[in-house]
Amino acid sequence: MSKCGRKKYIRTNLRQMTMETIESHQDGRVTDSMAEGGSAHMQTQTGQNSIPTLAQVATIAETDESAESEGVIDSHKRREILSRRPSYRKILNELSSDVHGVVPKIEEEKSEEEGTPPNIATMAVPTSIYQTSTGQYNEEIELAPSHMAAATGDMPTYQIPAPTTGLPQGVVMAASPGSLHSPQQLAEEATRKRELRLMKNREAAKECRRRKKEYVKCLESRVAVLEVQNKKLIEELETLRDICSPKAD
DNA sequence: CTTCGCCCACGTCAAGAGCC
DNA sequence: GGCTCTTGACGTGGGCGAAG
C-alpha cells in the first residue's frame, strides 16, 4: 500500500472511530445537523479544525445538558441549537467594540489589492506574555510592527487575484445567454459557470482560513491580556488587604 | 531507509447567512 | 426569492520528526 493509500485507510478508520464515539456519547443518536455535516462537533479526522469556537463549546454543552435532562430534542430545536454562528469578522468586530484596543478588527480585504499588507499593525500580539516555565507571565505586550502572517510565514504565497476582471485567466467570457442556442453552447456555458464558481470558492476558502487563523490568534491574544490583567488585580487585592489588615507583630 | 503518526494546507461540497 | 458570500466538513497530498 502506498503512503497516501495507507494514510487514507488510517484516516477512514479514524473517522469511523470518531463517529462511533460521538454516537455512543449521544446515546447512539446522531443529530440531523451532524449527519448533514453540521458545525457543532469537533472534527477529529486530521486534527485540523479541532479548536471549537466559543459558540460551539456553548452549543455542545447546551446540547449535552438538554439531552440528559430532556432525553429527546425535536429536529427543529436541534436545528436552532446547532445553527451556524456569525462570521469570524463579525464576532471579532463585536469583540473589538467590547474590548477596545485588546482585540483588533479584521479589516476588509483591500490592502492586499493596494499592494500593502493587511492592516493588522495595531494588534497586540502576545509574543512575550505567555506563561513561562516557572508560571510567571512576561507582561510586555508588543505591538506587531508588520503583518502577522508574514512574521509566521503562514501564507507566503497567498494572493488575491487581480480585481480588475473578476475572472480567472483562461476563462473566456461567453456570449450573452440569449445568443446560446445549441446544447453544446449551453453545456459550455454551464462548464464555464462551474469553473468560475469553483475558482471563487477556492479563493473564498483560502480567505476564510486566513481569517480563521487570525481570529484564533486574536482570541489567544485576548486570553493572554486578560490573564495579565487578572494577575495584576489579584496582586492589587492582596496589597489592599495587607494595608487594611496589617499584621500585629 | 522505511514506516508511522501527526500536522498543515488545499480543493470541493453543502448549507446557512446576508444582501438586493 | 435568487444570488453571492461564508464557513464547517470531508478527502487528499505533502512535510516532518520519531521509532524500528
Side-chain angles (χ1 to χ4, degrees):
Chain A
M1 181 184 293
S2 67
K3 184 181 178 182
C4 297
R6 179 184 56 76
K7 283 186 176 180
K8 180 183 177 182
Y9 171 76
I10 290 171
R11 283 167 184 158
T12 303
N13 283 349
L14 189 59
R15 175 171 175 250
Q16 194 173 346
M17 289 166 59
T18 304
M19 289 307 295
E20 286 171 0
T21 305
I22 291 173
E23 289 182 23
S24 63
H25 179 64
Q26 298 192 338
D27 201 14
R29 199 166 40 80
V30 180
T31 64
D32 292 341
S33 294
M34 283 182 174
E36 293 169 4
S39 61
H41 69 284
M42 286 164 282
Q43 180 185 358
T44 57
Q45 178 201 1
T46 64
Q48 79 182 58
N49 296 336
S50 59
I51 302 172
T53 66
L54 298 179
Q56 283 176 333
V57 170
T59 302
I60 292 169
E62 188 178 345
T63 305
D64 283 351
E65 282 183 13
S66 58
E68 286 180 3
S69 60
E70 298 176 11
V72 175
I73 306 172
D74 65 87
S75 60
H76 182 70
K77 190 172 180 180
R78 263 180 286 154
R79 211 169 183 83
E80 282 185 1
I81 290 173
L82 297 173
S83 64
R84 179 190 287 267
R85 52 161 184 65
S87 70
Y88 298 125
R89 184 181 301 165
K90 201 171 186 176
I91 292 176
L92 212 57
N93 289 345
E94 286 175 4
L95 279 176
S96 66
S97 64
D98 289 344
V99 187
H100 183 70
V102 173
V103 178
K105 289 188 177 186
I106 292 182
E107 301 285 337
E108 299 290 334
E109 291 76 25
K110 53 189 176 190
S111 50
E112 282 186 337
E113 295 173 7
E114 294 165 359
T116 56
N119 183 12
I120 319 179
T122 57
M123 175 174 179
V125 178
T127 53
S128 56
I129 54 177
Y130 286 123
Q131 195 169 13
T132 65
S133 58
T134 58
Q136 298 288 328
Y137 286 94
N138 187 338
E139 297 183 5
E140 290 180 5
I141 300 174
E142 298 175 356
L143 292 179
S146 60
H147 187 224
M148 216 163 45
T152 57
D154 281 332
M155 41 171 230
T157 60
Y158 176 71
Q159 286 183 339
I160 292 182
T164 52
T165 63
L167 287 174
Q169 289 182 351
V171 175
V172 180
M173 287 294 290
S176 60
S179 65
L180 294 176
H181 296 300
S182 70
Q184 231 178 5
Q185 283 177 318
L186 289 174
E188 284 179 6
E189 173 70 5
T191 303
R192 190 189 65 83
K193 281 184 177 178
R194 175 181 159 78
E195 292 292 330
L196 184 60
R197 181 169 50 80
L198 288 179
M199 191 211 66
K200 278 187 174 180
N201 188 245
R202 198 155 46 230
E203 295 300 320
K206 283 182 186 175
E207 188 62 19
C208 180
R209 286 176 181 124
R210 188 190 66 78
R211 277 197 301 267
K212 187 175 184 178
K213 287 176 71 175
E214 201 172 305
Y215 171 70
V216 170
K217 282 183 180 177
C218 288
L219 288 184
E220 290 171 349
S221 164
R222 193 180 181 210
V223 166
V225 169
L226 291 177
E227 281 178 344
V228 169
Q229 284 182 0
N230 192 39
K231 185 169 178 284
K232 280 185 177 177
L233 287 173
I234 289 174
E235 289 173 357
E236 193 177 336
L237 178 63
E238 293 298 325
T239 305
L240 290 174
R241 273 190 184 149
D242 288 345
I243 293 173
C244 293
S245 59
K247 291 181 180 178
D249 61 341

